[in-house]
Amino acid sequence: EIIRQLNDRFLVSLPIDTDRRDLGVIANDTVRMGHLAFIGSHKVNGVSALHTELMKKTVFRGLHDLFPDRIVNQTNGITPRRWLYECNPGLARLVTDAIGDRWVADLEQIEALAGHADDPAFRASFADVKLANKERLAATIRWRLDIAVDPHALFDIHIKRIHEYKRQLLNILEAVALYRAIRDDPYRDWQPRVKIFAGKAAPSYVMAKLVVKLINDVAQVVNADPLVGDRLKIVFLPNYNVSLAEVIIPAADLSEQISTAGMEASGTGNMKLAVNGALTVGTLDGANVEIRERVGEDNIFIFGLTAEEVMARRAAGYQPRAEIETQPALRGALQEIAAGGFAKDGSQHVQPLLDNLWHRDYFMVAADFAAYAAIQRRIDRDFADHTDWTRRSVLNTARVGWFSSDRAIRGYAHDIWRVATG
């Protein structure tokens, strides 16, 4: 009743000639929580530049036309004290030795590190710190799961809440395709890779839980295959939490930020991984857009449909079956999963995932698969040049200082709260 009164008062307050059809808090006897928050707030933050613009054009379009100054952007940030200084002491010491310690309280000062990216001695020290962190993570994996991984392999990290739009499914399907390719050509010079997943699924989120099952099923087969050996290992670390993240993030070579474009508000994992020297592979979604602007196009791997292209494909009546039929690697991976090749109990448990991909695929996994697989092979080639990869890692650490929670809070204080800052 209170919400109905709020809705009525809001609609009555609008100018008489206003089209009210898409403005109300209640629609079809359903409370639109976003609209309720919008009319109850003096500012609405999009938390990344892309998401802010999408809110103006889509979900809050009518409200934005009425209140053009209400939607603002303050891109998310992370605290350098937790996500570099504390969790990666080796790198923190190296940075401080190179540029001093002002970066701890003002992360944007870390940009001075870029001048050391071409220094062979500094790069060697940076690589040594990364290797030590990878050895620590490898020991954690061995202790928790009794899986041995090679710290010199590419550590490919996908850590976040398990959700269809974050597309852990795209990642594991590409891993299946890669596994099949290695089996078919075992004597090729494959880049060794360890794919590390972690994250939690909501208790009632069935599809997310099926993705977790599929990852673990595939891992059991791949990790036990002597023909593949150390060229591909797949790890799902259970019970993901901050303490585990503090071990995983400093060890990352590659940061997976592969959400369906237009669906990730911002992300902060992308920032945590980048400041610790990981290169990002991702779509133009959330804060990935702004990370690309900061680190430079040569120091990030962007692939896939844009947010506008995703909306256009859906509007045009996207047919995933037709997409899958044109991609032998994806089709073969799905067929092997369907045949029970990765589960002793057959494929029936994950069949809803497969059915969804063939018939609906709202999150555009099939549509982005070929581009994702292609960029992963480019990443293999680039990682083989360890000197240049380390140089690019240094630049990632140096150029993402803007993504600090200190900067975000100052922006809130000045632009939203209108309070003075010291």
Side-chain angles (χ1 to χ4, degrees), residues 65-81:
D65 289 343
L66 277 175
F67 306 99
D69 298 326
R70 188 164 298 187
I71 297 178
V72 297
N73 183 65
Q74 294 295 336
T75 297
N76 280 345
I78 58 169
T79 169
R81 272 79 64 186

Side-chain angles (χ1 to χ4, degrees), residues 78-146:
I78 58 169
T79 169
R81 272 79 64 186
R82 168 70 72 180
W83 295 111
L84 179 48
Y85 184 80
E86 183 174 328
C87 78
N88 198 343
L91 182 55
R93 285 192 297 270
L94 185 64
V95 172
T96 297
D97 289 346
I99 65 171
D101 65 358
R102 291 178 61 195
W103 64 270
V104 179
D106 181 6
L107 189 57
E108 292 186 67
Q109 297 293 325
I110 206 170
E111 189 170 354
L113 201 69
H116 296 267
D118 292 318
D119 178 352
F122 182 83
R123 284 199 308 264
S125 297
F126 192 96
D128 287 345
V129 168
K130 179 64 74 174
L131 180 59
N133 289 329
K134 292 171 72 173
E135 288 171 342
R136 180 175 66 152
L137 176 55
T140 298
I141 293 169
R142 185 64 179 262
W143 173 63
R144 290 194 175 204
L145 299 174
D146 197 26

Side-chain angles (χ1 to χ4, degrees), residues 37-84:
F38 189 105
I39 69 168
S41 304
H42 80 281
K43 292 294 181 184
V44 176
N45 182 19
V47 304
S48 75
L50 175 68
H51 195 248
T52 298
E53 293 307 307
L54 284 173
M55 286 201 306
K56 293 176 182 178
K57 296 173 184 175
T58 57
V59 65
F60 293 139
R61 181 176 179 176
L63 291 168
H64 173 64
D65 289 343
L66 277 175
F67 306 99
D69 298 326
R70 188 164 298 187
I71 297 178
V72 297
N73 183 65
Q74 294 295 336
T75 297
N76 280 345
I78 58 169
T79 169
R81 272 79 64 186
R82 168 70 72 180
W83 295 111
L84 179 48

